[in-house]
Amino acid sequence: NDCNPADGVGDANAIPQTHYGGTMTAKLIMLRHGESEWNSKNLFTGWKDPDLTDQGRAEAVEAGQALKAGGYEFDVSFTSVLSRAQKTNDAILKELGQTDLEIICDQALNERDYGDLAGLNKDDAREKWGEEQVHIWRRSYDTPPPGGESLKDTADRVLPYYHATIKPRVLGGDRVLITAHGNSLRALVMDLEGLSREEVLQLNIATGAPIAYELDDNGTVLSKKLLIEREAH
């Protein structure tokens, strides 16, 4: 399935809003891509573009099956420009029988750029720079690794894109799927759930495990449901 760059702000009036007792329950599903080859090798990935592993492809299929079992269907899907997210997205839509769905790709949803750490084994990085320094780069909110992005930097590109392009589609009544990455989704969950900097640093998002949100007509979270329980790495 080909994906298209977003054509600016979505039309919030494209689809009639459905109200239940005065409150719309918009559907937003997000998930992290299935396990990649570099996940399995414990490497920093970032904007590098490794393929899914066999396990990652299986996780993507399982995610699609879980969504189908839950009765979920979509009107549009958003994903990054990285193939591990796009292939996960395609596998899900195949399971749902929605291979002709509109797919919008944008690098705003890319994983956090790990700069000089990209491609390095995490243990080797600790040996080179010290465990404490690597922990700061991985887990602080606003300290980037050399040549890369902090979580704050990632949020600074993810959140404007969400509010300008994705959220209007959700509030307009579209059922929206976002297939992205651990850190781009952490930034989004932080915004949706009102997490503090400290709380988001403790948040880990498992591969191939859909998270379903219902939002009111202001975009505030009404409910959250994990469709697959999987340990995050």
Side-chain angles (χ1 to χ4, degrees), residues 34-37 40 51-61:
E35 182 192 66
S36 76
E37 292 172 347
S40 69
D51 203 350
L52 297 174
T53 61
D54 288 343
Q55 178 179 326
R57 284 184 278 273
E59 288 174 355
V61 169

Side-chain angles (χ1 to χ4, degrees), residues 218-232:
N218 295 313
T220 303
V221 173
L222 297 173
S223 70
K224 173 186 180 181
K225 182 179 182 183
L226 294 175
L227 300 190
I228 293 175
E229 295 285 350
R230 199 194 310 283
E231 188 177 346

Side-chain angles (χ1 to χ4, degrees), residues 91-126:
I92 287 169
L93 297 183
K94 184 177 179 181
E95 289 300 313
L96 292 173
Q98 288 199 276
T99 53
D100 58 348
L101 190 74
E102 178 188 10
I103 301 173
I104 298 172
C105 302
D106 199 288
Q107 74 174 28
L109 295 175
N110 276 19
E111 177 58 296
R112 170 184 172 188
D113 184 351
Y114 273 108
D116 293 353
L117 299 183
L120 289 180
N121 183 284
K122 292 171 185 176
D123 293 331
D124 292 343
R126 292 185 190 100

Side-chain angles (χ1 to χ4, degrees), residues 5-231:
D7 54 356
V9 177
D11 182 356
N13 299 313
I15 294 178
Q17 296 188 12
T18 305
H19 290 270
Y20 301 95
T23 302
M24 181 183 73
T25 54
K27 287 286 195 304
L28 174 66
I29 312 295
M30 62 177 72
L31 82 157
R32 181 183 174 192
H33 59 82
E35 182 192 66
S36 76
E37 292 172 347
W38 284 19
N39 292 147
S40 69
K41 294 176 181 175
N42 200 34
L43 306 181
F44 288 101
T45 310
W47 285 38
K48 302 297 184 182
D49 205 19
D51 203 350
L52 297 174
T53 61
D54 288 343
Q55 178 179 326
R57 284 184 278 273
E59 288 174 355
V61 169
E62 183 185 0
Q65 291 170 343
L67 288 164
K68 185 173 183 179
Y72 292 92
E73 292 182 337
F74 298 100
D75 299 297
V76 63
S77 176
F78 292 87
T79 186
S80 77
V81 302
L82 298 170
S83 63
R84 58 191 184 276
Q86 293 182 14
K87 289 181 178 181
T88 299
N89 196 67
D90 288 347
I92 287 169
L93 297 183
K94 184 177 179 181
E95 289 300 313
L96 292 173
Q98 288 199 276
T99 53
D100 58 348
L101 190 74
E102 178 188 10
I103 301 173
I104 298 172
C105 302
D106 199 288
Q107 74 174 28
L109 295 175
N110 276 19
E111 177 58 296
R112 170 184 172 188
D113 184 351
Y114 273 108
D116 293 353
L117 299 183
L120 289 180
N121 183 284
K122 292 171 185 176
D123 293 331
D124 292 343
R126 292 185 190 100
E127 215 168 279
K128 181 173 181 177
W129 284 289
E131 187 162 344
E132 185 177 347
Q133 182 62 68
V134 172
H135 181 77
I136 290 170
W137 288 333
R138 290 190 70 195
R139 287 305 182 195
S140 69
Y141 182 70
D142 52 11
T143 304
E149 293 178 309
S150 65
L151 181 57
K152 179 183 183 299
D153 296 330
T154 307
D156 286 346
R157 61 174 162 81
V158 172
L159 298 182
Y161 181 75
Y162 170 74
H163 286 287
T165 305
I166 301 177
K167 186 177 178 180
R169 298 288 296 260
V170 178
L171 299 187
D174 280 351
R175 299 159 298 177
V176 174
L177 172 66
I178 302 174
T179 307
H181 305 267
N183 283 294
S184 52
L185 293 178
R186 286 170 78 210
L188 192 46
V189 170
M190 180 183 183
D191 185 70
L192 283 170
E193 299 185 20
L195 302 182
S196 69
R197 290 183 177 191
E198 292 71 30
E199 287 170 328
V200 77
L201 296 179
Q202 304 303 316
L203 176 66
N204 289 304
I205 296 176
T207 52
I211 307 168
Y213 287 100
E214 287 189 51
L215 310 179
D216 68 13
D217 48 13
N218 295 313
T220 303
V221 173
L222 297 173
S223 70
K224 173 186 180 181
K225 182 179 182 183
L226 294 175
L227 300 190
I228 293 175
E229 295 285 350
R230 199 194 310 283
E231 188 177 346

